[in-house]
């Protein structure tokens, strides 16, 4: 079945550091890929998505590129802020399904 | 647009009582709503999918008689945890999609933290 693997956290960075959160997936066919963000005490918000190979999703300075050859969708940001501290979930939806399969989440802590 | 609300945001109840959690789509009609459960530091586990006006479809291992789901209108779904026990304590999150939202995108509510004493 479909699965998503994320790097374990927490990831702890200083403000303005470069961020990478790794995500790899296993799926049949050509899934849509997503990154969701969950701020403390809140539900999930869609951060960005990509629907086909080589697509780049981007939002709020974050970006991720759909790499079919490596089955990856790594999240990057060039300069993180304290307000980016949250849990980030990688997810996929395949076969025309709108029900995503989530990774376990990666906690990001950004210090001033 | 595409805002989903949940009520209450947190609830504490005694063991053996029932708790109802509401999920509302505020600015769109939600033809399908989903209920998830999230344990501390873990991912979301899909519990059930509900379509307006029909019975919910439960995921394997989820007790339908314990977690009652009603999707009576296009803007409201409710999850009732019946005869709650401490092991039911968790963070419950709903999400919704509708005819006017992207087909592969769900919109999530802020979650409800349930603590059963």
């Amino acid at each position: 079945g479909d699965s998503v693997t994320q790097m374990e956290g927490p990831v702890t960075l200083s403000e303005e550091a470069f961020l990478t959160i790794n995500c790899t997936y296993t799926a049949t066919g050509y899934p849509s890929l997503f990154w969701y963000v969950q701020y403390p005490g809140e539900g999930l918000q869609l951060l960005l998505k990509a629907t086909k190979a080589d697509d780049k999703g981007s939002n709020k300075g974050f970006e991720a590129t759909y790499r079919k050859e490596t089955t990856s969708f790594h999240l990057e940001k060039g300069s993180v802020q304290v307000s980016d501290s949250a849990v980030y979930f990688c997810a996929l939806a395949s076969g025309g399904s709108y029900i995503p399969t989530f990774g376990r989440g990666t906690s990001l802590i950004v210090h001033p | 647009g595409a805002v989903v609300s949940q009520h209450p945001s947190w609830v504490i109840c005694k063991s053996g009582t029932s708790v109802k959690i509401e999920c509302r789509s505020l600015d769109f009609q939600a033809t399908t709503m989903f209920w998830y459960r999230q344990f501390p530091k873990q991912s979301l586990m899909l519990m059930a999918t509900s379509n307006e006006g029909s019975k919910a479809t439960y995921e394997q291992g989820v007790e339908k008689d314990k977690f009652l789901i009603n999707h009576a209108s296009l803007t409201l779904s409710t999850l009732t945890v019946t005869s709650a026990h401490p092991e039911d304590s968790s963070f419950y999150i709903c999400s919704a999609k509708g005819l006017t939202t992207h087909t592969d995108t769900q919109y999530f509510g802020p979650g409800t933290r349930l603590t059963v004493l």
Side-chain angles (χ1 to χ4, degrees):
Chain A
D2 296 347
S3 67
V4 176
T5 303
Q6 290 181 237
M7 60 189 291
E8 288 202 23
V11 173
T12 304
L13 296 172
S14 297
E15 204 164 26
E16 298 184 3
F18 184 86
L19 168 71
T20 300
I21 299 178
N22 290 336
C23 171
T24 57
Y25 66 90
T26 302
T28 54
Y30 302 96
S32 294
L33 302 175
F34 308 84
W35 276 101
Y36 286 87
V37 58
Q38 184 179 31
Y39 296 102
E42 299 183 14
L44 274 67
Q45 300 175 27
L46 178 64
L47 181 60
L48 54 85
K49 70 176 186 179
T51 58
K52 61 182 188 295
D54 299 325
D55 268 1
K56 178 184 285 187
S58 61
N59 185 26
K60 298 181 181 179
F62 291 89
E63 59 182 35
T65 301
Y66 189 143
R67 300 287 189 198
K68 185 172 181 296
E69 63 277 13
T70 55
T71 61
S72 65
F73 193 55
H74 304 322
L75 182 69
E76 297 181 336
K77 186 175 186 182
S79 176
V80 293
Q81 305 299 313
V82 173
S83 57
D84 293 327
S85 298
V87 179
Y88 292 82
F89 290 91
C90 185
L92 69 83
S94 65
S97 168
Y98 42 72
I99 303 175
T101 298
F102 288 92
R104 293 173 66 91
T106 302
S107 175
L108 170 66
I109 301 169
V110 180
H111 293 295
Chain B
V3 177
V4 176
S5 71
Q6 279 184 242
H7 178 80
S9 56
W10 60 270
V11 57
I12 301 172
C13 70
K14 292 182 178 180
S15 186
T17 60
S18 295
V19 174
K20 180 183 285 188
I21 302 169
E22 294 185 347
C23 176
R24 293 182 185 272
S25 57
L26 299 185
D27 52 1
F28 68 102
Q29 293 183 323
T31 50
T32 306
M33 286 185 166
F34 308 86
W35 287 95
Y36 293 85
R37 185 172 180 178
Q38 184 181 30
F39 292 100
K41 298 185 180 180
Q42 294 194 26
S43 189
L44 280 71
M45 180 192 79
L46 179 65
M47 300 174 67
T49 303
S50 71
N51 293 296
E52 185 266 336
S54 61
K55 290 184 178 179
T57 302
Y58 291 80
E59 295 298 301
Q60 192 172 8
V62 178
E63 298 176 62
K64 62 180 181 181
D65 294 330
K66 181 166 188 62
F67 299 100
L68 301 179
I69 293 172
N70 185 286
H71 191 167
S73 77
L74 284 172
T75 60
L76 173 65
S77 176
T78 59
L79 167 68
T80 301
V81 183
T82 62
S83 187
H85 288 92
E87 58 266 28
D88 298 324
S89 298
S90 193
F91 194 52
Y92 292 88
I93 303 175
C94 73
S95 69
K97 68 175 297 294
L99 293 175
T100 58
T101 59
H102 294 293
T103 55
D104 61 355
T105 301
Q106 295 183 33
Y107 296 91
F108 287 81
T112 297
R113 184 160 303 283
L114 170 63
T115 301
V116 185
L117 302 176

